Amino acid sequence: MRHQEKKVRAIGVSNFSQDQLEQVFAMATVKPMVNQIERHPYKVQADLGKFDTDNGLVNEGYSPIGHGHLILEDPVITKLADKYGKSPAQIVLRWQVDTGFVVFPKSSKPARVRENFEISGFNLTAAEIVEINALDQDKHLNYD
């Protein structure tokens, strides 16, 4: 109703699986535009991301660097950080963007906020994206 009244321009969902989205598509008059899901190199969610894209939904990844402690010390990530002269967090954020995900990294530290914005000027190669995708463990780093 609010959408028809032009009080809401977009509807999004969070943590919806393919099955749940298919149920929404079958009954809703307005299809969601965004599916926000936990996504980082240890939980890639490639199939769900493709399903979302194929159905016109924007993929938004939350916990895009996975709380840092594990992922930012991963040898694959640190190797790429050294190669590009970037921080491990910047490598992970670049991977998110290069694979079509919207991310909103957060930090209470101004220096990290600035760093999170400085991911332009380089792109990962297709082989590097495959290498990061291979880190997938389907591992929740947040509450399930």
Side-chain angles (χ1 to χ4, degrees), residues 116-136:
N116 289 342
F117 279 107
E118 295 171 357
I119 62 166
S120 61
F122 79 104
N123 291 90
L124 299 170
T125 67
E128 291 165 344
I129 289 171
V130 168
E131 193 174 10
I132 293 172
N133 288 348
L135 297 174
D136 189 12

Side-chain angles (χ1 to χ4, degrees), residues 61-76:
Y62 70 81
S63 291
I65 58 173
H67 301 296
H69 62 285
L70 298 172
I71 293 168
L72 299 184
E73 296 172 5
D74 189 280
V76 169

